[in-house]
Amino acid sequence: MNVFVTRLIPTTGLKLMVDAGIVVNQWKEPYDVPADELIQICKEHDALISVGQDKIDKNFLTACSHLKVIAQMAVGFDNIDLIEASKLRIPIGNTPGVLSRATADVSFMLMLMVSRMATFMYRKILDGKWGFYDPTANLGVELYGKTLGIYGLGKIGLEMAQKCSNAFGMNIIYHNRNPSLLADRSLGAKFVSFESLLGRSDVLSVHSALTEETKNKFTLECFSKMKPTAIFINTARGSIHNERDLTEALRSKMIWGAGLDVTNPEPMQASNPLLMMPNVVILPHIGSATIETRGEMSRLAAENIIAASRGIKIPYLVNPSAYS
Ligand code: GLV
């Protein structure tokens, strides 16, 4: 079996595959594999590890229907046409669980950074504007006892809720497709309607997958229903909020601030006005970017490939119907 990997990845996963007798070829260029080239390369391979946002659409899948497995080295798989993959009986794997803590750390960090305008303050020093002490200037907001609203309470949302409850005694409300008994019992979290999430959250943190239902969910109309003191955090996918509307909501002080680890498009242009706003903090999609987590993600991706090479069901499967 040979596998093509669309980026250089940590050695944890590479070693597992090599030890299992799999030939591994990696894309070494500092740009995405062009779509046509990816098809040509995959024609010479039995399996694919997709890293980043490779477009695994109908065109790709039809041309590469021979693939025994596609292992996404990420938890999100919105870049993959799952229905088409299942029709072609190609199992798709992802890397669930191992990145929940690291990603929630970034949500938590963004919340704090926005609440104290950390990057704006840092820029002031760089600009030589650390002036005399003015007790009425540079004032942030505190988080103690405030209400955290989670949009999409899966593993990452639950981690964020736990941190906020432990650190600041925040009250947790959430909106999901279904209520979560675990969150209700362990955190006293309350399932609320989307409208109520908008109206009641002091911090609204997005943790849902990107789907047809969640795409462009947070528009100007939504921001207008939020508190003028609210902080909006998104570490899930940039297309879940409307970036132009968010900019307008911040400009007109409809909401207090925003922290984004994901933007639309990515990378964000350096000239984007959001980058210069005092109550905004932007990071370049680094939710899972720790040595430990990226090592684990490569391990899970490798385990999916190894299972397929042995003709057994892959352990981190997202489309069970590929096997039915
Ligand atoms: C990162 O965005 C992931 O989906 O793992």
Side-chain angles (χ1 to χ4, degrees):
M1 167 119 159
N2 65 359
V3 59
F4 180 64
V5 190
T6 64
R7 287 279 195 287
L8 296 174
I9 62 167
T11 49
T12 313
L14 291 176
K15 187 170 175 334
L16 280 177
M17 291 188 282
V18 171
D19 289 350
I22 294 168
V23 174
V24 182
N25 294 312
Q26 292 177 272
W27 179 254
K28 298 190 177 71
E29 305 302 331
Y31 54 86
D32 294 336
V33 192
D36 289 353
E37 208 169 332
L38 185 61
I39 291 178
Q40 291 318 313
I41 296 172
C42 285
K43 283 186 190 289
E44 308 294 318
H45 288 83
D46 307 305
L48 171 68
I49 293 185
S50 166
V51 191
Q53 283 287 311
D54 304 309
K55 232 175 155 196
I56 311 294
D57 55 8
K58 186 172 180 177
N59 182 41
F60 172 86
L61 290 162
T62 313
C64 297
S65 59
H66 67 284
L67 289 173
K68 290 193 174 66
V69 59
I70 298 176
Q72 171 88 343
M73 203 185 101
V75 69
F77 42 83
D78 45 278
N79 55 319
I80 302 179
D81 184 338
L82 270 197
I83 295 174
E84 203 54 35
S86 302
K87 263 193 220 155
L88 295 166
R89 301 195 175 275
I90 304 174
I92 306 292
N94 71 340
T95 60
V98 293
L99 47 67
S100 306
R101 284 208 312 212
T103 306
D105 286 348
V106 170
S107 317
F108 188 80
M109 171 169 72
L110 282 171
M111 173 180 75
L112 265 170
M113 287 177 83
V114 173
S115 75
R116 304 300 288 269
M117 298 177 281
T119 42
F120 180 68
M121 296 302 154
Y122 179 67
R123 250 194 338 260
K124 265 189 165 184
I125 303 174
L126 292 181
D127 293 347
K129 290 186 181 148
W130 183 353
F132 75 103
Y133 166 58
D134 172 358
T136 66
N138 299 341
L139 304 186
V141 289
E142 293 192 11
L143 300 162
Y144 297 93
K146 298 270 170 79
T147 296
L148 169 73
I150 300 271
Y151 179 69
L153 190 96
K155 291 190 179 76
I156 304 173
L158 196 58
E159 283 284 346
M160 171 66 169
Q162 266 155 358
K163 285 183 213 302
C164 292
S165 167
N166 292 343
F168 295 115
M170 291 175 86
N171 309 303
I172 314 296
I173 57 175
Y174 66 97
H175 182 73
N176 244 12
R177 257 176 291 178
N178 300 306
S180 152
L181 273 183
L182 177 64
D184 298 3
R185 286 206 190 113
S186 63
L187 293 167
K190 300 259 176 310
F191 177 85
V192 296
S193 68
F194 184 60
E195 292 292 307
S196 179
L197 188 85
L198 294 173
R200 287 171 58 188
S201 300
D202 293 304
V203 176
L204 198 162
S205 192
V206 175
H207 298 281
S208 64
L210 173 63
T211 62
E212 280 312 311
E213 190 190 337
T214 65
K215 196 173 181 172
N216 206 37
K217 183 78 182 173
F218 289 87
T219 57
L220 199 61
E221 195 195 337
C222 298
F223 295 124
S224 75
K225 292 177 182 163
M226 289 172 66
K227 297 182 185 179
T229 48
I231 293 174
F232 178 78
I233 303 290
N234 189 354
T235 52
R237 285 292 182 267
S239 316
I240 298 173
H241 64 262
N242 182 303
E243 206 156 282
R244 212 182 34 214
D245 287 3
L246 176 62
T247 309
E248 177 52 30
L250 288 159
R251 215 177 245 144
S252 58
K253 302 199 185 315
M254 224 172 237
I255 63 170
W256 196 77
L260 308 176
D261 186 43
V262 289
T263 62
N264 182 23
E266 288 179 7
M268 178 181 258
Q269 295 271 310
S271 59
N272 193 303
L274 282 172
L275 289 164
M276 296 311 283
M277 290 187 176
N279 297 4
V280 174
V281 178
I282 314 273
L283 296 172
H285 205 146
I286 56 161
S288 64
T290 67
I291 295 165
E292 295 85 349
T293 293
R294 287 282 160 83
E296 281 299 281
M297 289 166 75
S298 74
R299 178 175 68 77
L300 266 54
E303 286 175 5
N304 278 333
I305 299 293
I306 293 167
S309 77
R310 295 180 178 153
I312 55 179
K313 199 174 191 173
I314 66 169
Y316 311 105
L317 174 70
V318 295
N319 61 338
S321 54
Y323 286 106
S324 60

